[in-house]
Amino acid sequence: AQSVTQLDSHVSVSEGTPVLLRCNYSSSYSPSLFWYVQHPNKGLQLLLKYTSAATLVKGINGFEAEFKKSETSFHLTKPSAHMSDAAEYFCVVSVRGGATNKLIFGTGTLLAVQP
Amino acid sequence: EADIYQTPRYLVIGTGKKITLECSQTMGHDKMYWYQQDPGMELHLIHYSYGVNSTEKGDLSSESTVSRIRTEHFPLTLESARPSHTSQYLCASSLSGAGETQYFGPGTRLLVL
């Protein structure tokens, strides 16, 4: 069965330092993987997605993620955190279910950015 | 910025009332979805639709029902709200193919007293 595991429920960084949010996936075939961000009282926004093209995926707001098949990982990184990055981040795998793809969400990682 | 809208954004209602959560998208997407998200938890799919007149139940059992009479509209209805229905409900839509990226609305936070 397909699933995602977000290894940290909370991550706290200082402004200007690097961000690493970890995600491991389980899939019986080559998956489509996504990172979404959810700011307080706002909807989910797509940060980036991997669909079997380049393994290093660049997203919005300076975020990127690297697909590593050997490690079944899809960690999200950013070189320098900004206060506006404080939000909840969800790693998501897309699975085929009937005639459509379904999204399986991780439990989320809450990112806090300290001044 | 995705053009997908949900109303109301917040709803506080008493037990036993019938409620309808609205979701509309102006992107011409054929597929639409409803997710339920409890505080601090991941999203779970409760309903989806391939297109007009198609509705399917998702992975999480829900007492709600949905309809898809028009491509752009995918309302969710609870015939008799209960406190256990208190949650956030997120609507999404996607085109077929191209990795089927789903675009989400802002959500409706429902509190049933």
Side-chain angles (χ1 to χ4, degrees):
Chain A
Q2 286 76 24
S3 66
V4 289
T5 302
Q6 290 184 245
L7 298 161
D8 308 292
S9 59
H10 295 82
V11 170
S12 182
V13 300
S14 298
E15 191 174 20
T17 64
V19 176
L20 169 64
L21 304 184
R22 298 183 295 166
C23 173
N24 285 102
Y25 69 91
S26 170
S27 178
S28 54
Y29 52 84
S30 185
S32 293
L33 292 160
F34 306 79
W35 276 99
Y36 281 85
V37 60
Q38 188 175 34
H39 287 92
N41 299 319
K42 297 237 179 122
L44 285 162
Q45 182 181 20
L46 179 68
L47 272 181
L48 50 81
K49 67 177 181 181
Y50 166 77
T51 54
S52 73
T55 56
L56 182 63
V57 182
K58 293 189 183 297
I60 61 171
N61 301 335
F63 283 95
E64 62 182 37
E66 186 171 8
F67 174 74
K68 291 187 177 179
K69 187 175 181 179
S70 60
E71 299 176 11
T72 62
S73 69
F74 190 56
H75 301 333
L76 182 70
T77 60
K78 182 174 180 177
S80 176
H82 192 272
M83 295 296 289
S84 61
D85 295 328
E88 187 150 27
Y89 292 79
F90 291 94
C91 182
V92 182
V93 64
S94 176
V95 302
R96 195 73 188 171
T100 191
N101 285 2
K102 298 181 184 179
L103 298 185
I104 306 296
F105 281 76
T107 51
T109 298
L110 192 60
L111 175 65
V113 182
Q114 311 297 331
Chain B
E1 191 95 7
D3 295 323
I4 181 164
Y5 309 98
Q6 290 185 244
T7 57
R9 292 293 311 278
Y10 304 92
L11 179 62
V12 181
I13 202 162
T15 296
K17 300 291 186 184
K18 178 180 179 178
I19 59 172
T20 297
L21 308 185
E22 302 287 352
C23 176
S24 295
Q25 50 93 10
T26 58
M27 298 173 283
H29 288 172
D30 51 345
K31 295 181 178 175
M32 296 188 74
Y33 313 81
W34 276 103
Y35 292 85
Q36 184 173 343
Q37 183 185 28
D38 291 329
M41 303 293 286
E42 67 268 42
L43 281 73
H44 292 285
L45 181 68
I46 52 174
H47 297 284
Y48 61 99
S49 166
Y50 305 128
V52 171
N53 293 326
S54 107
T55 60
E56 301 286 342
K57 290 196 177 293
D59 302 317
L60 181 68
S61 176
S62 173
E63 294 169 344
S64 58
T65 59
V66 292
S67 61
R68 189 89 183 274
I69 299 172
R70 302 199 317 264
T71 299
E72 63 273 19
H73 196 214
F74 191 41
L76 180 146
T77 298
L78 278 164
E79 290 293 333
S80 179
R82 295 208 301 267
S84 60
H85 297 139
T86 294
S87 190
Q88 178 168 228
Y89 294 85
L90 288 156
C91 180
S93 69
S94 71
L95 277 172
S96 297
E100 293 195 17
T101 300
Q102 293 185 20
Y103 296 91
F104 284 80
T108 294
R109 290 186 183 274
L110 173 65
L111 173 61
V112 184
L113 303 175

